[in-house]
Amino acid sequence: MSEPTTKSQQIEIGVETFGDVTHDANGQPLHPAQVLRNVVAEAKAAEAAGLDFFAVGEHHRDDYAISAPEVVLGAIAAVTETIRLGTAVTVLSSDDPVRVYERFATVDGLSNGRAEAILGRGSFVESFPLFGYELSDYELLFEEKLALFAKLRKGEPVSWSGQTRSALRNQAVYPPIENGKLDAWVGVGGSPESVVRAARHGLPLFLAIIGGAPMAFEPLTRLYKRSLEEFGHEPQRIGAHFHGLVADTDQQALDLLWPHYKVTMDRLGAERGWPPASRMRFEASAGPDGSLLAGSPETVARKMAKFATGLDLSRIDIKYSAGSLPHETMLRSIELLGTKVKPLVQELIDAK
C-alpha cells in the first residue's frame, strides 16, 4: 500500500481522455471509430514517454467516443507492457458492481495486473435514463453500489443486500484477480460527504479539480486523512485530475488549446447555464494558482509540484484531450509530459 507523498517518494503522472471527437485537417469531425483507434495510439505514446497511468472516461454522448471503457482498455492492454490502465471515471451509479468488477478483473488479467478503476458518479447524467435508473436515487445508487464493490474487490465470496439490486448470498465472482486485490479509487468532485464515504471504505481518493483554485481542496484532503484514522484504516493514496496541455512554450499551449476549450465549455455552458468561456478567465486559470495545467514543460511542472506538495498527492493526471483538439497536438503534449515534465516535477519535489 502506498504511503502519502514524501520528499523521497516518486510522484506518479498520468493522462486521461474521454475519447473526445476530434477534427481532421479540414475541420471535419472524425468518425468515432477513428477516434477510438487514435486513443489506442495515444496510450502507446504515453507508455513510450514514460508516463505511469493511462485512463479513459465513460460517457454516452455524441461528443465523446468511449462508452465501453473496459473494451478500450483491453485493446490497449494488448499493445502495451508497463503503463497502468484505468478509467476516469467508471459511472458506478448506473452500472452493476458485479459486472464492473468482472470487466476490470478481465482487463487486469489481460494486462498482467495493470488495471485499476476510478469509481464515481460522473459529471453527466445521460447514463441514468439510458440504463433505467432514476436521478432521484442518485445518492442511494452510489452509496449502495460502492459498498458492494468494496466487498467484491477483496476477492472472497460476497453476501450483500440492499435496495438497488438483487441480494448476493456467499456469491463468488469470476475471474479472480491473479495477485492481490483489484486497485480502485473513489473519484470525488469536492463534497465533504463524498470524501468521508471514500474514507469509510478505506479506498484511495481521487479529486476531480476542473476549476477554481486547487489549493481550496486542501481542507478535503485533511478531512480524508482524519476520517481514515477515525474509521481505523491505514493511510491511502490521494490523486487529482486536472485539465491541461503541454507545448513548447506557454503561448503556444494557450493558443493551441483555447479555440477547442472554448467550443467545449460553451457547449457545456449552454446545457448547464454557464456564461460563455472568456479568454481572460481561461488565461487566469492557466496562471500560477489556477487549475488549468497548460503551458511549457517548466510551467506545468512547477504547478504540478506545487499542488502535489500542497495537497499531498501521490498521482496527478492530466486530461490532455479537449474537444476537437487534433490528435497530433495531443501526441506532442503526451510526449512532453512524459519526457520533460515528469522528471522535472520529481526534481522540484525532492528539492523542497
Side-chain angles (χ1 to χ4, degrees):
M1 182 179 296
S2 300
E3 297 293 330
T5 304
T6 64
K7 181 182 288 189
S8 61
Q9 195 171 10
Q10 292 291 313
I11 177 76
E12 293 183 343
I13 295 178
V15 285
E16 305 170 356
T17 180
F18 298 164
D20 307 50
V21 175
T22 54
H23 288 184
D24 62 20
N26 297 317
Q28 296 301 308
L30 296 177
H31 193 284
Q34 182 60 55
V35 173
L36 291 171
R37 293 189 288 270
N38 286 349
V39 167
V40 175
E42 289 154 14
K44 292 172 65 177
E47 179 172 84
L51 292 170
D52 299 295
F53 183 63
F54 189 89
V56 296
E58 175 199 346
H59 294 86
H60 305 271
R61 303 164 48 94
D62 64 352
D63 45 351
Y64 301 122
I66 300 173
S67 60
E70 298 91 351
V71 177
V72 178
L73 294 176
I76 294 170
V79 296
T80 58
E81 296 181 355
T82 59
I83 194 167
R84 294 191 62 79
L85 307 172
T87 47
V89 298
T90 292
V91 185
L92 187 64
S93 304
S94 57
D95 210 329
D96 181 78
V98 174
R99 294 294 291 139
V100 171
Y101 180 85
E102 289 177 335
R103 296 196 299 263
F104 270 96
T106 300
V107 173
D108 197 69
L110 291 170
S111 64
N112 195 24
R114 291 184 282 135
E116 55 187 75
I118 301 178
L119 308 167
R121 293 179 287 186
S123 58
F124 297 92
V125 296
E126 287 84 357
S127 62
F128 287 78
L130 182 62
F131 298 118
Y133 293 99
E134 297 293 336
L135 281 174
S136 58
D137 295 329
Y138 188 79
E139 291 291 339
L140 176 65
L141 285 165
F142 191 68
E143 179 66 45
E144 287 200 351
K145 293 186 177 190
L146 183 62
L148 175 52
F149 194 94
K151 286 193 169 195
L152 290 165
R153 68 181 292 269
K154 296 177 181 178
E156 303 168 350
V158 170
S159 295
W160 178 91
S161 63
Q163 302 177 52
T164 54
R165 61 150 289 146
S166 57
L168 299 175
R169 296 179 179 84
N170 201 36
Q171 177 68 56
V173 178
Y174 305 101
I177 298 297
E178 191 170 17
N179 295 298
K181 300 177 183 178
L182 178 67
D183 280 347
W185 307 65
V186 178
V188 304
S191 75
E193 295 80 9
S194 296
V195 168
V196 172
R197 180 190 292 118
R200 185 167 68 249
H201 292 295
L203 291 170
L205 181 73
F206 220 97
L207 302 168
I209 302 177
I210 59 176
M215 291 312 302
F217 283 77
E218 193 272 338
L220 292 179
T221 64
R222 283 190 282 113
L223 172 63
Y224 174 67
K225 294 174 191 176
R226 185 172 68 249
S227 298
L228 281 171
E229 185 175 350
E230 291 173 354
F231 287 121
H233 296 302
E234 297 180 21
Q236 298 289 332
R237 295 169 293 168
I238 302 174
H241 150 110
F242 298 84
H243 288 232
L245 184 76
V246 187
D248 293 300
T249 68
D250 289 348
Q251 194 63 51
Q252 184 184 35
L254 296 176
D255 291 343
L256 285 170
L257 182 57
W258 165 245
H260 308 281
Y261 176 93
K262 179 172 174 54
V263 169
T264 299
M265 297 307 292
D266 285 353
R267 174 173 179 166
L268 296 180
E271 296 175 4
R272 302 181 181 188
W274 301 342
S278 76
R279 180 76 185 229
M280 182 182 297
R281 288 196 298 270
F282 168 75
E283 294 199 5
S285 184
D289 298 318
S291 63
L292 185 62
L293 300 183
S296 68
E298 295 76 17
T299 293
V300 172
R302 283 194 298 271
K303 291 183 71 172
M304 277 190 168
K306 175 182 178 179
F307 300 146
T309 302
L311 298 175
D312 199 13
L313 304 177
S314 61
R315 178 188 289 165
I316 294 178
D317 289 349
I318 286 186
K319 182 182 181 287
Y320 65 90
S321 58
S324 54
L325 193 68
H327 174 57
E328 293 74 19
T329 301
M330 293 189 287
L331 286 174
R332 177 60 174 162
S333 181
I334 289 169
E335 177 189 4
L336 291 172
L337 190 59
T339 61
K340 302 291 186 182
V341 175
K342 182 183 172 182
L344 183 54
V345 171
Q346 194 63 53
E347 288 180 18
L348 291 168
I349 290 175
D350 289 346
K352 290 185 180 295

